[in-house]
Amino acid sequence: LEWLDGNHFHLPSPDRASVDLFIYEKCGYDTDLSTMSRSFRSINTITVEDGDVRRDECSGYLRHLIDHYPDPADFTLFFQADAADHMQYGYLSLVMRALELHSLTTPFVHLNYP
């Protein structure tokens, strides 16, 4: 998750947009998140046990949707731990700047690329 704490992409300034980070831990890692605290309003780690159902990121996404269904955020972005293998940081920066400027008007943005 080192990519979250670097200068790989633009994060909105705290006075323009509040960004909460939810990490759904599925692999039993105890990740040190102390250096990331300055970038996010809050950091939440939730353990997800798949059991025999699934062994991929989908159960983490579903857990978030269920937990936050009554009061969803204005925008929710889902990433895999190895995000750089699935998206371009430059494109993510454009989306984050649009969020910061409150100019993103589309209900869905696909961040992955083939």
Side-chain angles (χ1 to χ4, degrees):
L1 297 175
E2 296 83 23
W3 64 274
L4 286 169
D5 191 34
N7 292 321
H8 298 291
F9 63 96
H10 177 77
L11 267 175
S13 64
D15 61 324
R16 304 289 311 247
S18 298
V19 179
D20 297 308
L21 176 64
F22 294 85
I23 297 174
Y24 291 87
E25 180 54 59
K26 299 173 46 85
C27 301
Y29 295 130
D30 186 19
T31 306
D32 178 17
L33 305 173
S34 61
T35 60
M36 290 187 220
S37 61
R38 65 182 179 277
S39 303
F40 301 96
R41 180 174 67 175
S42 69
I43 298 176
N44 309 275
T45 303
I46 299 94
T47 300
V48 176
E49 297 291 336
D50 284 341
D52 294 331
V53 180
R54 293 196 70 109
R55 299 259 185 238
D56 59 13
E57 69 279 358
C58 296
S59 57
Y61 300 163
L62 182 60
R63 173 83 274 143
H64 184 84
L65 293 171
I66 290 169
D67 289 349
H68 298 275
Y69 184 80
D71 188 25
D74 292 334
F75 295 94
T76 301
L77 291 82
F78 293 102
F79 302 103
Q80 293 174 303
D82 57 347
D85 292 345
H86 305 279
M87 69 173 179
Q88 298 287 329
Y89 289 128
Y91 182 57
L92 175 60
S93 289
L94 289 174
V95 172
M96 294 301 249
R97 288 182 193 282
L99 290 173
E100 179 179 51
L101 298 171
H102 304 275
S103 62
L104 187 65
T105 59
T106 184
F108 178 81
V109 177
H110 196 284
L111 296 173
N112 286 6
Y113 71 96

